[in-house]
Every structure is written in structure tokens, then in C-alpha cells.
């Protein structure tokens, strides 16, 4: 019997970043997130909705000590995140930018183990110029409704990733690839419902269209909605936001991060006078998973991985003399902190250079206690960054300092606060760097671009050029540091920073917490009152 109306349910996860168990690995406290919670929700809705699509939007296999430990010590075994996604019967996932953090071989292994396709139309084989992972899109038939899902990935990955991890790949402009493939799919497949799963976000305010970031091409979701016809549902991610709305006739969904929430779109289609399906309504929502109970089957799937991870995290490494604890993350950026000083000094030691920069990556970082374990290291240095040494001029270093100085602004009470552009639409506190090996002063009262009022170098030659060590994300231009992009890399240290920090502690056993106060942040308007 032919149906006149069909309702489909689409569930979306994105930016899970390896979170399975509902715990904070820094403290092992229970927190309401993770795939164990998502699994309970997914299984219940699958029973209630026979016409269900389950899609992940990318950045699934990296991000927690569990995934880090697996990548470093257990990668000869099945990937725990893929085991979970296979168990939950995902229909597809999109390649995210963090899929490459552990190297291309790890990404390929994850794809090979998956019982579902990995989509990306614009990540191309450098030789053949065909989609590297094989699937630009998939076709699903559900109650005589033809659904096509196209995958596309932010093409900004070369600005962040270790070049060795992506040397076989080319990255086509995500917008151009989406436009071409949507036209091709509409012409050849004639879908009843066309879904684009884009691991990227929005470059403009969703309501007024005003740019919310430098238009680098990292996020092109708004442009896709405005300039590409034929997308019925645009699934997004990367920015860790919660979005369920319509933009220029295209329904947009983004489900947050770390499996704290799940996105849901209910799509109702009905037949027209020519017996063709047409979309009647798309209703979206983002639902918190905080009230769910963890799924026992998922917990069993990662039980051994988790046990070994916890044992590894509790391994003692060394001792801090003094305090490297972080009480106030904002104060760390205003006044030099022993933790930042130490990270910079480890970077300089590993690279054999005299200038370094680093960030406080996460506002929840607690710093290091007196007796340090691996748990403390990986909870504070949360990314698998390697190091690059660039040769920079004095002018280029000053330009980079000016970019970091834009992190601050003066509020109505004449106090220094965080510039809102580093908070909305996505928190980007990690794009404020603190430097070692130079002396500098930031005056937040001055206009952006003119805030470095003092700059001097510890080495005798004040004119340069200078060798500077930084993480590979920044060296590739990540965080709008375009001036570093395409600079000659003098040296690379390909050991993860977490390992370098742990090795340094194990060798020295005791590290003294100290600062040399080589930078200051002032408000000359207030200081002159």
C-alpha cells in the first residue's frame, strides 16, 4: 500500500571528541556527557521511530585520555570509538579536522573498522583528485523516500594539522565542493530529501548576517545557506554550538559537543498531485542528555580500555617545588604564571631555541599539583600538538603579539576583560599566546594593532631574525595567525607535547615553579588616573 505521508527522524551527534564515560578525567568526577549517555537516548528513539537516520558530523576519535592512550599504546586493537559507533548502527559520519591528529594511518584504520561510510567530498587524494575516503555521499531508501547525505569538511585543516599527517591529501574549498556536488546530486539522483553534513560552522551572525569572524574560509555555513540552492537540511559542527533554526529556507542543525546533547530533526514528507514526495515540515531540536542513564553495553565495550587508561593516568612522574596550581584562568593571561613559564621552557629545551610561545588551552585547566601524574599532564595539555621552529623577523613577532593582544578589551567600568570575539560564537581562549625569551608590554587602552608598547629580546641581536618554537597548530596559521602560514620550518619536534612535558619531569624529577615576569598587561587609562 502506497503511503501519502511519511515522517523520518534524523539524530545528530558531533564533536564527541572521544568522550564515552560521563567523567572528567582530571578529577574522575561524574559529568553529564559522553556516548554512554547518548547510546541510551539513541536506542530508545530507535525503538520509537522505525524510520531513523543516525549521523555523526565528525571529530569523534580524538580528545580524551581514553583516545590518546588507545592511539599511543593500544592501536593494534579495534578503536573503541568505532566499536561504539558500530554497535549503535550509525548510518554515516563526516570526516572532521581532528580525525587526523593521530596521523593518517590512524584515520584510515578507523575508516576500515567502521561498518558505516565516512563522507567527505572535498578531501581529495593528491594524485587522483578523487575523494580520498571513497564516499562523497550516500543514498538511503526509507519508506520509498530517497534520502541523499553529502559529507563535506572544513578545508582549513592544513592551517592546523601536522603536514606529515596529511601529505597524501588535498583540500578543496568546502563551499565550492558543496555547490558542485549538490547540483550533481539534484540532477542525477533526484532525491526527495537532500542532507548536507558539513563539519564546519558559521562565519556570520545567524540573524543579521554580519560577519562574526575573519572570513578565512574555516566556516562557510552561512554562505552555503545563502548561495546554494537545493539543500533541505544542513547539519553542522566544529564550533561546538547548539543550533536548530532555518536560514534562507534551509533548516540548520548543530548538536553541541562531547555528547552533552543530541540533535534531532523530524522531517514530514507528503505526496503532491504528481505523486512525488515533497517536504511538508522539518522540526529540529537539541536535547540535553543530562537526565539519561549510561548504557551498560557501551560501558562494557570500553571497559578494558578505560581500566588501562586509568592506571596509566595515575602513574607518578615528578614533583613541583612551589605552586603551579591555577586559581584564575584570566589572571594567568594577565600575569605570567609558573605553569605557562614551564611549558615555554620545555618547548625551548626540546627545540634548542631561546624564544617560545604557548597558550592556556582550556579555562578549566587546574595547573599542576605538588606530585604530578600523567592525569595532571594530559588534563592541562589537552591537544596532541607537536612543535615547529620558525624563523621570524622582529616585525613578524610584533604582529603576532598584536594579534594576541586583541584578546583583551576595556569594559564600561574601565576594567580589562576578554574581547567578546574570543567567546562568541565559539570560545577561542587558546588563541591568546604568552611568550618567553622576550620582554613585552601590552597596553589594552590603545587601539587594536597598536598595543605592544614595549618589545625587547633577551639575545644580543635585537634585529633578528629569531628562531621561535610554537605548537604545530599555531605554526600552520591556526587562530588567524596567517603571518606564520607558509613560513620556512627550520626544525620540527614530532613528539607530542604531553610526552615532552612528562619526559622533562621524569628526567628532572623536581621542577621549581617560578616566573621571570617578562610580560605585563596594563590599562594606561586606569593606571594614569
Amino acid at each position: 500500500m502506497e503511503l501519502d505521508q511519511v515522517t523520518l527522524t534524523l539524530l545528530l551527534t558531533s564533536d564527541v571528541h572521544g568522550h564515552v564515560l560521563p567523567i572528567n578525567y582530571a578529577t574522575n568526577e561524574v559529568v553529564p556527557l559522553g556516548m554512554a549517555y547518548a547510546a541510551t537516548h539513541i536506542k530508545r528513539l530507535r525503538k520509537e521511530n522505525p524510520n531513523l537516520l543516525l549521523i555523526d558530523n565528525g571529530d569523534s576519535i580524538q580528545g580524551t585520555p581514553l583516545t590518546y592512550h588507545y592511539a599511543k599504546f593500544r592501536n593494534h586493537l579495534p578503536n573503541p570509538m568505532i566499536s561504539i559507533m558500530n554497535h549503535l548502527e550509525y548510518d554515516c559520519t563526516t570526516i572532521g579536522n581532528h580525525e587526523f591528529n593521530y596521523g593518517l594511518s590512524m584515520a584510515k584504520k578507523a575508516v576500515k573498522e567502521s561498518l558505516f561510510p565516512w563522507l567527505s567530498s572535498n578531501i581529495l587524494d593528491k594524485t587522483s583528485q578523487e575523494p580520498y575516503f571513497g564516499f562523497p555521499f550516500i543514498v538511503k531508501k526509507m519508506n520509498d523516500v530517497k534520502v541523499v547525505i553529502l559529507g563535506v569538511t572544513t578545508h582549513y585543516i592544513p592551517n592546523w594539522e601536522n603536514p606529515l599527517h596529511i601529505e597524501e591529501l588535498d583540500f578543496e574549498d568546502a563551499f565550492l565542493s558543496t555547490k558542485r556536488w549538490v547540483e550533481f546530486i539534484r540532477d542525477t539522483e533526484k532525491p526527495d530529501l537532500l542532507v548536507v553534513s558539513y563539519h564546519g560552522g558559521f562565519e556570520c551572525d545567524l540573524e543579521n548576517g554580519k560577519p562574526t569572524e575573519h572570513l578565512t574560509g574555516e566556516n562557510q555555513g552561512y554562505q552555503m545557506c545563502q548561495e546554494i540552492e537545493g539543500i533541505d537540511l544542513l547539519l553542522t559542527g566544529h564550533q561546538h554550538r547548539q543550533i536548530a533554526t532555518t536560514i534562507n529556507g534551509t533548516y540548520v542543525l548543530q548538536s553541541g559537543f562531547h555528547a552533552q546533547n543530541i540533535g534531532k530533526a523530524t522531517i514530514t514528507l507528503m505526496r503532491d498531485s504528481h505523486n512525488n514526495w515533497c517536504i511538508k515540515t522539518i522540526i529540529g531540536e537539541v536535547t540535553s542528555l543530562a537526565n539519561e542513564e549510561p548504557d551498560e553495553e557501551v560501558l562494557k565495550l570500553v571497559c578494558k580500555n578505560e581500566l588501562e587508561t586509568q592506571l596509566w593516568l595515575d602513574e607518578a612522574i615528578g614533583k613541583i617545588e612551589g605552586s603551579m596550581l591555577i586559581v584564575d584562568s584570566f589572571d594567568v593571561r594577565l600575569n605570567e604564571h609558573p605553569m605557562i613559564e614551564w611549558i615555554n621552557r620545555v618547548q625551548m629545551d626540546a627545540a634548542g631555541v631561546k624564544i617560545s610561545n604557548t597558550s592556556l588551552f582550556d579555562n578549566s585547566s587546574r595547573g599542576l599539583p605538588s606530585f604530578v601524574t600523567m592525569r595532571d599532564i594530559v588534563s592541562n595539555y589537552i591537544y596532541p600538538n607537536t612543535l615547529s621552529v620558525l624563523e621570524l623577523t622582529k616585525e613578524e613577532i610584533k604582529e603576532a603579539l598584536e594579534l594576541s593582544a586583541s584578546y583583551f578589551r576595556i569594559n564600561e567600568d574601565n576594567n580589562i576583560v576578554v574581547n567578546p570575539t574570543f567567546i562568541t560564537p565559539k570560545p577561542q581562549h587558546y588563541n591568546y599566546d604568552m611568550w618567553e625569551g622576550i620582554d613585552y608590554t601590552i597596553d589594552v587602552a590603545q587601539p587594536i594593532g597598536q598595543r605592544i608598547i614595549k618589545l625587547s629580546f633577551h639575545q644580543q641581536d635585537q634585529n633578528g631574525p629569531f628562531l621561535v618554537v610554537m605548537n604545530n597548530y599555531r605554526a600552520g596559521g591556526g587562530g588567524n595567525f596567517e603571518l606564520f602560514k607558509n613560513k620556512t620550518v627550520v626544525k620540527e619536534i614530532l613528539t607530542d607535547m604531553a610526552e615532552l612535558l612528562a619526559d622533562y619531569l621524569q628526567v628532572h624529577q623536581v621542577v621549581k615553579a617560578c616566573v621571570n615576569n617578562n610580560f605585563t598587561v596594563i590599562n594606561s587609562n586606569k593606571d594614569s588616573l
Side-chain angles (χ1 to χ4, degrees):
M1 180 178 175
E2 196 171 73
L3 298 173
D4 293 326
Q5 182 168 302
V6 168
T7 297
L8 309 179
T9 301
L10 184 151
L11 297 182
L12 173 67
T13 57
S14 187
D15 299 274
V16 173
H17 287 289
H19 286 270
V20 179
L21 283 83
I23 59 172
N24 175 350
Y25 279 98
T27 61
N28 272 351
E29 294 172 347
V30 175
V31 286
L33 53 77
M35 287 301 293
Y37 279 11
T40 301
H41 191 86
I42 290 165
K43 288 180 178 180
R44 183 173 66 252
L45 288 187
R46 195 182 287 282
K47 289 179 181 178
E48 298 171 358
N49 302 274
N51 298 324
L52 186 140
L53 283 166
L54 179 58
I55 299 175
D56 183 76
N57 187 250
D59 280 3
S60 59
I61 65 172
Q62 173 278 337
T64 59
L66 177 74
T67 57
Y68 184 92
H69 183 267
Y70 167 77
K72 294 300 176 183
F73 306 112
R74 290 177 59 88
N75 60 52
H76 58 289
L77 299 171
N79 189 308
M81 288 302 297
I82 302 306
S83 297
I84 291 168
M85 295 174 77
N86 284 340
H87 172 71
L88 292 174
E89 300 180 10
Y90 271 79
D91 290 285
C92 62
T93 187
T94 302
I95 300 285
N97 53 293
H98 283 283
E99 258 67 77
F100 302 103
N101 285 177
Y102 299 135
L104 187 57
S105 61
M106 186 67 68
K108 289 162 70 173
K109 182 176 183 292
V111 172
K112 186 177 180 180
E113 292 176 4
S114 300
L115 301 179
F116 50 87
W118 290 65
L119 309 180
S120 186
S121 65
N122 67 315
I123 299 180
L124 308 178
D125 185 294
K126 189 165 281 187
T127 302
S128 69
Q129 292 299 294
E130 296 294 325
Y132 187 87
F133 294 96
F135 296 94
F137 66 88
I138 59 168
V139 179
K140 305 284 290 188
K141 267 294 188 76
M142 306 179 73
N143 272 95
D144 199 37
V145 173
K146 187 175 187 179
V147 182
V148 175
I149 305 160
L150 171 69
V152 63
T153 307
T154 175
H155 61 261
Y156 213 60
I157 291 173
N159 293 281
W160 308 311
E161 191 53 70
N162 184 330
L164 294 177
H165 292 175
I166 54 174
E167 58 185 354
E168 298 177 20
L169 310 177
D170 277 339
F171 295 85
E172 183 184 8
D173 183 283
F175 171 81
L176 296 178
S177 180
T178 303
K179 184 175 176 63
R180 187 178 75 254
W181 280 100
V182 165
E183 291 172 354
F184 174 83
I185 290 166
R186 284 292 183 191
D187 288 343
T188 60
E189 296 292 339
K190 303 190 183 307
D192 302 309
L193 175 68
L194 177 52
V195 179
V196 173
S197 180
Y198 168 47
H199 189 83
F202 293 91
E203 71 282 27
C204 296
D205 185 281
L206 302 187
E207 294 183 0
N208 58 35
K210 293 181 179 178
T212 54
E213 62 185 35
H214 297 293
L215 299 182
T216 60
E218 176 183 349
N219 299 296
Q220 299 171 296
Y222 193 83
Q223 184 184 13
M224 289 178 182
C225 292
Q226 295 294 330
E227 300 181 25
I228 300 178
E229 293 185 11
I231 302 174
D232 299 312
L233 178 58
L234 179 65
L235 310 178
T236 59
H238 186 55
Q239 290 178 318
H240 296 190
R241 299 166 67 182
Q242 297 178 44
I243 300 171
T245 190
T246 300
I247 302 175
N248 194 35
T250 297
Y251 200 89
V252 174
L253 194 63
Q254 189 171 151
S255 59
F257 64 106
H258 296 178
Q260 297 177 78
N261 310 280
I262 196 163
K264 177 184 175 184
T266 303
I267 306 111
T268 301
L269 301 97
M270 59 187 303
R271 294 190 185 275
D272 62 16
S273 57
H274 301 287
N275 209 36
N276 297 318
W277 289 111
C278 61
I279 297 171
K280 182 181 179 182
T281 58
I282 299 179
I283 301 171
E285 59 183 301
V286 179
T287 303
S288 170
L289 298 173
N291 294 322
E292 298 290 355
E293 293 293 326
D295 180 80
E296 290 297 328
E297 290 180 296
V298 166
L299 295 180
K300 287 178 183 177
L301 283 172
V302 297
C303 179
K304 189 166 184 180
N305 293 79
E306 177 65 15
L307 176 62
E308 292 190 7
T309 300
Q310 290 289 348
L311 291 172
W312 170 70
L313 286 172
D314 287 330
E315 291 177 4
I317 297 174
K319 182 180 178 182
I320 304 298
E321 185 180 299
S323 177
M324 282 194 190
L325 294 174
I326 293 173
V327 177
D328 183 339
S329 62
F330 186 61
D331 186 69
V332 171
R333 299 180 176 99
L334 285 174
N335 302 288
E336 189 173 24
H337 189 277
M339 174 89 174
I340 300 299
E341 171 107 0
W342 179 61
I343 292 174
N344 269 322
R345 292 202 176 278
V346 171
Q347 290 187 173
M348 291 189 290
D349 180 77
V353 301
K354 297 180 179 179
I355 303 176
S356 171
N357 67 48
T358 190
S359 303
L360 178 65
F361 297 110
D362 191 336
N363 278 1
S364 64
S365 292
R366 295 168 177 253
L368 298 179
S370 296
F371 295 93
V372 183
T373 65
M374 273 304 303
R375 186 185 306 278
D376 301 311
I377 297 291
V378 299
S379 297
N380 284 279
Y381 205 105
I382 59 177
Y383 298 111
N385 289 332
T386 56
L387 298 176
S388 298
V389 176
L390 305 184
E391 186 177 86
L392 302 175
T393 65
K394 180 178 181 179
E395 291 72 26
E396 288 166 337
I397 290 174
K398 186 174 186 296
E399 184 180 347
L401 290 168
E402 292 286 5
L403 282 170
S404 279
S406 68
Y407 177 78
F408 301 108
R409 66 182 286 267
I410 305 295
N411 68 7
E412 57 276 8
D413 296 323
N414 203 25
N415 293 320
I416 300 175
V417 295
V418 180
N419 187 332
T421 61
F422 284 78
I423 301 173
T424 304
K426 176 184 178 181
Q428 298 181 59
H429 302 288
Y430 50 79
N431 283 331
Y432 170 74
D433 290 331
M434 289 155 282
W435 290 60
E436 190 57 51
I438 61 176
D439 292 315
Y440 62 98
T441 299
I442 298 171
D443 184 357
V444 186
Q446 302 305 315
I448 287 177
Q450 302 174 38
R451 291 179 167 178
I452 306 303
I453 61 171
K454 173 190 172 185
L455 173 60
S456 61
F457 297 81
H458 293 180
Q459 63 192 65
Q460 221 170 13
D461 181 3
Q462 292 288 308
N463 296 313
F466 305 95
L467 297 182
V468 181
V469 60
M470 62 189 73
N471 67 61
N472 62 285
Y473 169 82
R474 186 70 77 237
N480 298 320
F481 283 78
E482 293 283 327
L483 74 154
F484 294 149
K485 189 178 178 181
N486 299 322
K487 286 288 177 186
T488 300
V489 178
V490 178
K491 185 191 297 186
E492 290 182 293
I493 297 88
L494 298 180
T495 304
D496 288 353
M497 264 304 293
E499 290 183 45
L500 289 175
L501 294 168
D503 289 346
Y504 189 96
L505 261 173
Q506 286 171 329
V507 168
H508 293 83
Q509 282 300 293
V510 178
V511 171
K512 187 175 182 180
C514 60
V515 295
N516 61 2
N517 297 310
N518 67 295
F519 75 86
T520 54
V521 180
I522 67 170
N523 173 6
S524 60
N525 286 344
K526 193 169 188 176
D527 296 339
S528 63
L529 292 178

